[in-house]
Amino acid sequence: KGRRLSAEYKLQRRVAGYHDIRMDGMTDLVMRAKDASVFDIGCNRGLVGFEMANNGAAKVHGCDIFPEGITTARELFADLRSVESKFEVVDLTGGAAAVTAAFGQEQYDIVLCLATMHKLKRVMPRDQLSGLMQHFGKRTRQYFGWRATSEKLAENDEEMAWLDSWLPPIGLKRVHTSYISRTLGVAAIWARA
């Protein structure tokens, strides 16, 4: 049976770039990972979190709707005994309640939303997406990092404008914007005011 399942399972590329370049344009957050707690929204296989752990993060949590990726993230972090880690399968269309069911009320020094929002806006009404992003913003102690997708530049700027309207009312102000990555698109960081 196991041989049949492995023959049916086909690995697929799920992200643009490798984990280290996924932070292109926002490496200031990697430099601030030492002793920090990090939450990765749409963490895929946990490689960005692994990069944060390699730069001293004390806690790395993440969620994704991709069960195989969550399994990989758990296995990747199993040997990192100095890092508290937790990775859960979460359907973010369930909003704040789905996140809270998996992670309680925990807050994090750094929250990352890398190439995830464009997927959510396809399946969530804008008001629900706004509520979800504000929920993650309220969980952010210091920095909220976001990356668009490189495919549709006008939509990327629209997403950033949405975050600029959703995050300031909960105390986050955009402090950094980078268009340097031609491969991965625009990135921005909001900081707790």
Side-chain angles (χ1 to χ4, degrees), residues 27 29-38 48-60 77 80-84 109-110:
T27 54
L29 293 181
V30 177
M31 302 307 293
R32 285 162 176 77
K34 185 163 178 50
D35 299 322
S37 57
V38 178
V48 169
F50 190 75
E51 185 72 16
M52 298 298 268
N54 283 337
N55 282 276
K59 179 186 294 187
V60 177
F77 275 80
L80 298 180
R81 295 187 180 143
S82 64
V83 179
E84 179 192 320
D109 298 313
I110 300 170

PDB file of all heavy atoms in Angstrom, residues 27 29-38 48-60 77 80-84 109-110:
ATOM      1  N   THR A  27      14.998  41.497   4.399  1.00  0.00           N
ATOM      2  CA  THR A  27      15.966  40.797   5.248  1.00  0.00           C
ATOM      3  C   THR A  27      16.191  41.503   6.586  1.00  0.00           C
ATOM      4  O   THR A  27      16.751  40.907   7.500  1.00  0.00           O
ATOM      5  CB  THR A  27      17.316  40.598   4.532  1.00  0.00           C
ATOM      6  OG1 THR A  27      17.785  41.860   4.075  1.00  0.00           O
ATOM      7  CG2 THR A  27      17.184  39.618   3.382  1.00  0.00           C
ATOM      8  N   LEU A  29      14.034  41.886   8.672  1.00  0.00           N
ATOM      9  CA  LEU A  29      13.307  41.043   9.637  1.00  0.00           C
ATOM     10  C   LEU A  29      14.143  39.828  10.037  1.00  0.00           C
ATOM     11  O   LEU A  29      14.099  39.411  11.199  1.00  0.00           O
ATOM     12  CB  LEU A  29      11.963  40.603   9.071  1.00  0.00           C
ATOM     13  CG  LEU A  29      10.945  41.720   8.874  1.00  0.00           C
ATOM     14  CD1 LEU A  29       9.638  41.152   8.336  1.00  0.00           C
ATOM     15  CD2 LEU A  29      10.707  42.489  10.170  1.00  0.00           C
ATOM     16  N   VAL A  30      14.891  39.275   9.098  1.00  0.00           N
ATOM     17  CA  VAL A  30      15.777  38.151   9.420  1.00  0.00           C
ATOM     18  C   VAL A  30      16.813  38.613  10.444  1.00  0.00           C
ATOM     19  O   VAL A  30      17.111  37.894  11.405  1.00  0.00           O
ATOM     20  CB  VAL A  30      16.458  37.592   8.152  1.00  0.00           C
ATOM     21  CG1 VAL A  30      17.429  36.477   8.499  1.00  0.00           C
ATOM     22  CG2 VAL A  30      15.412  37.085   7.157  1.00  0.00           C
ATOM     23  N   MET A  31      17.324  39.829  10.271  1.00  0.00           N
ATOM     24  CA  MET A  31      18.318  40.371  11.195  1.00  0.00           C
ATOM     25  C   MET A  31      17.729  40.624  12.585  1.00  0.00           C
ATOM     26  O   MET A  31      18.464  40.706  13.554  1.00  0.00           O
ATOM     27  CB  MET A  31      18.907  41.676  10.638  1.00  0.00           C
ATOM     28  CG  MET A  31      19.549  41.520   9.270  1.00  0.00           C
ATOM     29  SD  MET A  31      20.783  40.204   9.181  1.00  0.00           S
ATOM     30  CE  MET A  31      22.035  40.857  10.242  1.00  0.00           C
ATOM     31  N   ARG A  32      16.425  40.714  12.683  1.00  0.00           N
ATOM     32  CA  ARG A  32      15.769  40.956  13.967  1.00  0.00           C
ATOM     33  C   ARG A  32      15.171  39.680  14.560  1.00  0.00           C
ATOM     34  O   ARG A  32      14.411  39.723  15.531  1.00  0.00           O
ATOM     35  CB  ARG A  32      14.687  42.024  13.798  1.00  0.00           C
ATOM     36  CG  ARG A  32      15.302  43.404  13.661  1.00  0.00           C
ATOM     37  CD  ARG A  32      14.344  44.421  13.073  1.00  0.00           C
ATOM     38  NE  ARG A  32      14.953  45.739  13.047  1.00  0.00           N
ATOM     39  CZ  ARG A  32      15.864  46.143  12.155  1.00  0.00           C
ATOM     40  NH1 ARG A  32      16.286  45.324  11.218  1.00  0.00           N
ATOM     41  NH2 ARG A  32      16.363  47.369  12.199  1.00  0.00           N
ATOM     42  N   ALA A  33      15.521  38.540  14.002  1.00  0.00           N
ATOM     43  CA  ALA A  33      14.950  37.271  14.452  1.00  0.00           C
ATOM     44  C   ALA A  33      15.538  36.777  15.771  1.00  0.00           C
ATOM     45  O   ALA A  33      14.884  36.006  16.478  1.00  0.00           O
ATOM     46  CB  ALA A  33      15.142  36.195  13.374  1.00  0.00           C
ATOM     47  N   LYS A  34      16.727  37.214  16.136  1.00  0.00           N
ATOM     48  CA  LYS A  34      17.373  36.691  17.345  1.00  0.00           C
ATOM     49  C   LYS A  34      16.466  36.846  18.564  1.00  0.00           C
ATOM     50  O   LYS A  34      15.997  37.941  18.866  1.00  0.00           O
ATOM     51  CB  LYS A  34      18.709  37.379  17.584  1.00  0.00           C
ATOM     52  CG  LYS A  34      19.468  36.773  18.755  1.00  0.00           C
ATOM     53  CD  LYS A  34      20.921  37.154  18.721  1.00  0.00           C
ATOM     54  CE  LYS A  34      21.691  36.620  19.896  1.00  0.00           C
ATOM     55  NZ  LYS A  34      21.524  35.213  20.165  1.00  0.00           N
ATOM     56  N   ASP A  35      16.199  35.728  19.201  1.00  0.00           N
ATOM     57  CA  ASP A  35      15.369  35.632  20.414  1.00  0.00           C
ATOM     58  C   ASP A  35      13.903  36.006  20.177  1.00  0.00           C
ATOM     59  O   ASP A  35      13.142  36.154  21.131  1.00  0.00           O
ATOM     60  CB  ASP A  35      15.934  36.491  21.552  1.00  0.00           C
ATOM     61  CG  ASP A  35      17.334  36.051  21.955  1.00  0.00           C
ATOM     62  OD1 ASP A  35      17.591  34.828  21.959  1.00  0.00           O
ATOM     63  OD2 ASP A  35      18.174  36.929  22.250  1.00  0.00           O
ATOM     64  N   ALA A  36      13.494  36.170  18.940  1.00  0.00           N
ATOM     65  CA  ALA A  36      12.121  36.592  18.624  1.00  0.00           C
ATOM     66  C   ALA A  36      11.185  35.400  18.473  1.00  0.00           C
ATOM     67  O   ALA A  36      11.613  34.266  18.260  1.00  0.00           O
ATOM     68  CB  ALA A  36      12.120  37.409  17.330  1.00  0.00           C
ATOM     69  N   SER A  37       9.913  35.711  18.568  1.00  0.00           N
ATOM     70  CA  SER A  37       8.865  34.747  18.219  1.00  0.00           C
ATOM     71  C   SER A  37       8.336  35.143  16.845  1.00  0.00           C
ATOM     72  O   SER A  37       8.149  36.321  16.560  1.00  0.00           O
ATOM     73  CB  SER A  37       7.751  34.759  19.262  1.00  0.00           C
ATOM     74  OG  SER A  37       7.197  36.052  19.404  1.00  0.00           O
ATOM     75  N   VAL A  38       8.120  34.132  16.000  1.00  0.00           N
ATOM     76  CA  VAL A  38       7.754  34.368  14.601  1.00  0.00           C
ATOM     77  C   VAL A  38       6.537  33.520  14.260  1.00  0.00           C
ATOM     78  O   VAL A  38       6.473  32.339  14.620  1.00  0.00           O
ATOM     79  CB  VAL A  38       8.923  33.986  13.659  1.00  0.00           C
ATOM     80  CG1 VAL A  38       8.530  34.171  12.201  1.00  0.00           C
ATOM     81  CG2 VAL A  38      10.179  34.786  13.991  1.00  0.00           C
ATOM     82  N   VAL A  48      10.900  29.249   5.424  1.00  0.00           N
ATOM     83  CA  VAL A  48      11.162  30.630   5.855  1.00  0.00           C
ATOM     84  C   VAL A  48      11.319  30.643   7.373  1.00  0.00           C
ATOM     85  O   VAL A  48      12.227  31.287   7.913  1.00  0.00           O
ATOM     86  CB  VAL A  48      10.058  31.592   5.384  1.00  0.00           C
ATOM     87  CG1 VAL A  48      10.195  32.944   6.060  1.00  0.00           C
ATOM     88  CG2 VAL A  48      10.113  31.753   3.870  1.00  0.00           C
ATOM     89  N   GLY A  49      10.469  29.921   8.071  1.00  0.00           N
ATOM     90  CA  GLY A  49      10.612  29.808   9.521  1.00  0.00           C
ATOM     91  C   GLY A  49      11.949  29.200   9.904  1.00  0.00           C
ATOM     92  O   GLY A  49      12.575  29.600  10.894  1.00  0.00           O
ATOM     93  N   PHE A  50      12.402  28.233   9.126  1.00  0.00           N
ATOM     94  CA  PHE A  50      13.702  27.604   9.363  1.00  0.00           C
ATOM     95  C   PHE A  50      14.817  28.630   9.211  1.00  0.00           C
ATOM     96  O   PHE A  50      15.766  28.651   9.995  1.00  0.00           O
ATOM     97  CB  PHE A  50      13.887  26.432   8.390  1.00  0.00           C
ATOM     98  CG  PHE A  50      15.079  25.570   8.686  1.00  0.00           C
ATOM     99  CD1 PHE A  50      15.061  24.682   9.748  1.00  0.00           C
ATOM    100  CD2 PHE A  50      16.209  25.645   7.900  1.00  0.00           C
ATOM    101  CE1 PHE A  50      16.167  23.876  10.026  1.00  0.00           C
ATOM    102  CE2 PHE A  50      17.314  24.852   8.157  1.00  0.00           C
ATOM    103  CZ  PHE A  50      17.289  23.964   9.229  1.00  0.00           C
ATOM    104  N   GLU A  51      14.700  29.504   8.216  1.00  0.00           N
ATOM    105  CA  GLU A  51      15.670  30.585   8.031  1.00  0.00           C
ATOM    106  C   GLU A  51      15.664  31.514   9.248  1.00  0.00           C
ATOM    107  O   GLU A  51      16.720  31.937   9.725  1.00  0.00           O
ATOM    108  CB  GLU A  51      15.349  31.373   6.757  1.00  0.00           C
ATOM    109  CG  GLU A  51      16.354  32.428   6.414  1.00  0.00           C
ATOM    110  CD  GLU A  51      17.675  31.875   5.899  1.00  0.00           C
ATOM    111  OE1 GLU A  51      17.751  30.695   5.519  1.00  0.00           O
ATOM    112  OE2 GLU A  51      18.650  32.642   5.898  1.00  0.00           O
ATOM    113  N   MET A  52      14.482  31.813   9.766  1.00  0.00           N
ATOM    114  CA  MET A  52      14.383  32.664  10.956  1.00  0.00           C
ATOM    115  C   MET A  52      15.011  31.953  12.157  1.00  0.00           C
ATOM    116  O   MET A  52      15.728  32.571  12.947  1.00  0.00           O
ATOM    117  CB  MET A  52      12.928  33.035  11.225  1.00  0.00           C
ATOM    118  CG  MET A  52      12.271  33.833  10.109  1.00  0.00           C
ATOM    119  SD  MET A  52      13.020  35.425   9.772  1.00  0.00           S
ATOM    120  CE  MET A  52      12.047  36.463  10.843  1.00  0.00           C
ATOM    121  N   ALA A  53      14.769  30.650  12.287  1.00  0.00           N
ATOM    122  CA  ALA A  53      15.366  29.879  13.378  1.00  0.00           C
ATOM    123  C   ALA A  53      16.891  29.859  13.252  1.00  0.00           C
ATOM    124  O   ALA A  53      17.609  29.984  14.257  1.00  0.00           O
ATOM    125  CB  ALA A  53      14.806  28.455  13.378  1.00  0.00           C
ATOM    126  N   ASN A  54      17.399  29.714  12.043  1.00  0.00           N
ATOM    127  CA  ASN A  54      18.848  29.731  11.830  1.00  0.00           C
ATOM    128  C   ASN A  54      19.460  31.075  12.187  1.00  0.00           C
ATOM    129  O   ASN A  54      20.660  31.167  12.403  1.00  0.00           O
ATOM    130  CB  ASN A  54      19.192  29.391  10.376  1.00  0.00           C
ATOM    131  CG  ASN A  54      19.083  27.919  10.094  1.00  0.00           C
ATOM    132  OD1 ASN A  54      19.174  27.088  10.996  1.00  0.00           O
ATOM    133  ND2 ASN A  54      18.890  27.570   8.842  1.00  0.00           N
ATOM    134  N   ASN A  55      18.625  32.109  12.243  1.00  0.00           N
ATOM    135  CA  ASN A  55      19.092  33.443  12.627  1.00  0.00           C
ATOM    136  C   ASN A  55      18.687  33.798  14.054  1.00  0.00           C
ATOM    137  O   ASN A  55      18.643  34.959  14.416  1.00  0.00           O
ATOM    138  CB  ASN A  55      18.593  34.481  11.626  1.00  0.00           C
ATOM    139  CG  ASN A  55      19.432  34.455  10.368  1.00  0.00           C
ATOM    140  OD1 ASN A  55      20.484  35.069  10.317  1.00  0.00           O
ATOM    141  ND2 ASN A  55      19.006  33.693   9.373  1.00  0.00           N
ATOM    142  N   GLY A  56      18.377  32.774  14.848  1.00  0.00           N
ATOM    143  CA  GLY A  56      18.204  32.963  16.277  1.00  0.00           C
ATOM    144  C   GLY A  56      16.796  33.040  16.813  1.00  0.00           C
ATOM    145  O   GLY A  56      16.608  33.266  18.014  1.00  0.00           O
ATOM    146  N   ALA A  57      15.766  32.878  15.981  1.00  0.00           N
ATOM    147  CA  ALA A  57      14.393  32.926  16.510  1.00  0.00           C
ATOM    148  C   ALA A  57      14.222  31.854  17.586  1.00  0.00           C
ATOM    149  O   ALA A  57      14.669  30.716  17.429  1.00  0.00           O
ATOM    150  CB  ALA A  57      13.378  32.719  15.390  1.00  0.00           C
ATOM    151  N   ALA A  58      13.583  32.223  18.674  1.00  0.00           N
ATOM    152  CA  ALA A  58      13.361  31.297  19.788  1.00  0.00           C
ATOM    153  C   ALA A  58      12.079  30.488  19.603  1.00  0.00           C
ATOM    154  O   ALA A  58      11.956  29.388  20.139  1.00  0.00           O
ATOM    155  CB  ALA A  58      13.291  32.079  21.099  1.00  0.00           C
ATOM    156  N   LYS A  59      11.143  31.053  18.853  1.00  0.00           N
ATOM    157  CA  LYS A  59       9.849  30.397  18.641  1.00  0.00           C
ATOM    158  C   LYS A  59       9.436  30.626  17.199  1.00  0.00           C
ATOM    159  O   LYS A  59       9.496  31.746  16.705  1.00  0.00           O
ATOM    160  CB  LYS A  59       8.800  30.997  19.568  1.00  0.00           C
ATOM    161  CG  LYS A  59       7.410  30.410  19.418  1.00  0.00           C
ATOM    162  CD  LYS A  59       6.380  31.142  20.264  1.00  0.00           C
ATOM    163  CE  LYS A  59       6.681  30.929  21.730  1.00  0.00           C
ATOM    164  NZ  LYS A  59       5.616  31.488  22.599  1.00  0.00           N
ATOM    165  N   VAL A  60       9.003  29.548  16.534  1.00  0.00           N
ATOM    166  CA  VAL A  60       8.505  29.652  15.168  1.00  0.00           C
ATOM    167  C   VAL A  60       7.218  28.852  15.071  1.00  0.00           C
ATOM    168  O   VAL A  60       7.218  27.643  15.316  1.00  0.00           O
ATOM    169  CB  VAL A  60       9.533  29.137  14.128  1.00  0.00           C
ATOM    170  CG1 VAL A  60       8.938  29.204  12.729  1.00  0.00           C
ATOM    171  CG2 VAL A  60      10.836  29.923  14.204  1.00  0.00           C
ATOM    172  N   PHE A  77      11.674  20.845  11.915  1.00  0.00           N
ATOM    173  CA  PHE A  77      11.939  21.476  13.208  1.00  0.00           C
ATOM    174  C   PHE A  77      12.125  20.472  14.340  1.00  0.00           C
ATOM    175  O   PHE A  77      12.516  20.863  15.438  1.00  0.00           O
ATOM    176  CB  PHE A  77      10.811  22.456  13.561  1.00  0.00           C
ATOM    177  CG  PHE A  77      11.011  23.813  12.960  1.00  0.00           C
ATOM    178  CD1 PHE A  77      10.686  24.050  11.628  1.00  0.00           C
ATOM    179  CD2 PHE A  77      11.527  24.859  13.703  1.00  0.00           C
ATOM    180  CE1 PHE A  77      10.870  25.295  11.067  1.00  0.00           C
ATOM    181  CE2 PHE A  77      11.713  26.111  13.147  1.00  0.00           C
ATOM    182  CZ  PHE A  77      11.391  26.333  11.821  1.00  0.00           C
ATOM    183  N   LEU A  80      15.449  20.751  15.969  1.00  0.00           N
ATOM    184  CA  LEU A  80      15.859  22.072  16.472  1.00  0.00           C
ATOM    185  C   LEU A  80      15.363  22.226  17.907  1.00  0.00           C
ATOM    186  O   LEU A  80      14.327  22.838  18.165  1.00  0.00           O
ATOM    187  CB  LEU A  80      15.303  23.191  15.585  1.00  0.00           C
ATOM    188  CG  LEU A  80      15.773  23.205  14.137  1.00  0.00           C
ATOM    189  CD1 LEU A  80      15.139  24.363  13.391  1.00  0.00           C
ATOM    190  CD2 LEU A  80      17.285  23.288  14.058  1.00  0.00           C
ATOM    191  N   ARG A  81      16.085  21.677  18.834  1.00  0.00           N
ATOM    192  CA  ARG A  81      15.623  21.625  20.228  1.00  0.00           C
ATOM    193  C   ARG A  81      15.610  22.987  20.915  1.00  0.00           C
ATOM    194  O   ARG A  81      14.901  23.179  21.888  1.00  0.00           O
ATOM    195  CB  ARG A  81      16.472  20.635  21.002  1.00  0.00           C
ATOM    196  CG  ARG A  81      16.259  19.244  20.465  1.00  0.00           C
ATOM    197  CD  ARG A  81      16.920  18.195  21.271  1.00  0.00           C
ATOM    198  NE  ARG A  81      16.627  16.902  20.634  1.00  0.00           N
ATOM    199  CZ  ARG A  81      17.461  15.924  20.556  1.00  0.00           C
ATOM    200  NH1 ARG A  81      18.649  16.038  21.096  1.00  0.00           N
ATOM    201  NH2 ARG A  81      17.137  14.804  19.952  1.00  0.00           N
ATOM    202  N   SER A  82      16.381  23.942  20.397  1.00  0.00           N
ATOM    203  CA  SER A  82      16.425  25.262  21.034  1.00  0.00           C
ATOM    204  C   SER A  82      15.311  26.176  20.528  1.00  0.00           C
ATOM    205  O   SER A  82      15.194  27.310  20.987  1.00  0.00           O
ATOM    206  CB  SER A  82      17.783  25.913  20.788  1.00  0.00           C
ATOM    207  OG  SER A  82      17.964  26.149  19.403  1.00  0.00           O
ATOM    208  N   VAL A  83      14.495  25.683  19.596  1.00  0.00           N
ATOM    209  CA  VAL A  83      13.417  26.498  19.021  1.00  0.00           C
ATOM    210  C   VAL A  83      12.077  25.849  19.352  1.00  0.00           C
ATOM    211  O   VAL A  83      11.849  24.681  19.041  1.00  0.00           O
ATOM    212  CB  VAL A  83      13.572  26.613  17.482  1.00  0.00           C
ATOM    213  CG1 VAL A  83      12.439  27.442  16.887  1.00  0.00           C
ATOM    214  CG2 VAL A  83      14.924  27.195  17.114  1.00  0.00           C
ATOM    215  N   GLU A  84      11.206  26.625  19.976  1.00  0.00           N
ATOM    216  CA  GLU A  84       9.842  26.133  20.193  1.00  0.00           C
ATOM    217  C   GLU A  84       9.103  26.267  18.866  1.00  0.00           C
ATOM    218  O   GLU A  84       9.056  27.349  18.280  1.00  0.00           O
ATOM    219  CB  GLU A  84       9.127  26.958  21.259  1.00  0.00           C
ATOM    220  CG  GLU A  84       7.701  26.487  21.487  1.00  0.00           C
ATOM    221  CD  GLU A  84       6.887  27.455  22.317  1.00  0.00           C
ATOM    222  OE1 GLU A  84       7.421  28.015  23.284  1.00  0.00           O
ATOM    223  OE2 GLU A  84       5.702  27.666  21.969  1.00  0.00           O
ATOM    224  N   ASP A 109       6.457  38.429  17.934  1.00  0.00           N
ATOM    225  CA  ASP A 109       7.271  39.601  17.614  1.00  0.00           C
ATOM    226  C   ASP A 109       7.201  39.916  16.126  1.00  0.00           C
ATOM    227  O   ASP A 109       7.113  41.082  15.743  1.00  0.00           O
ATOM    228  CB  ASP A 109       8.741  39.357  18.015  1.00  0.00           C
ATOM    229  CG  ASP A 109       8.897  39.141  19.509  1.00  0.00           C
ATOM    230  OD1 ASP A 109       8.322  39.943  20.280  1.00  0.00           O
ATOM    231  OD2 ASP A 109       9.561  38.175  19.904  1.00  0.00           O
ATOM    232  N   ILE A 110       7.244  38.870  15.310  1.00  0.00           N
ATOM    233  CA  ILE A 110       7.233  39.029  13.853  1.00  0.00           C
ATOM    234  C   ILE A 110       6.156  38.134  13.257  1.00  0.00           C
ATOM    235  O   ILE A 110       6.124  36.934  13.540  1.00  0.00           O
ATOM    236  CB  ILE A 110       8.606  38.654  13.245  1.00  0.00           C
ATOM    237  CG1 ILE A 110       9.717  39.547  13.816  1.00  0.00           C
ATOM    238  CG2 ILE A 110       8.564  38.727  11.714  1.00  0.00           C
ATOM    239  CD1 ILE A 110      11.131  39.092  13.464  1.00  0.00           C
TER     240      ILE A 110
END
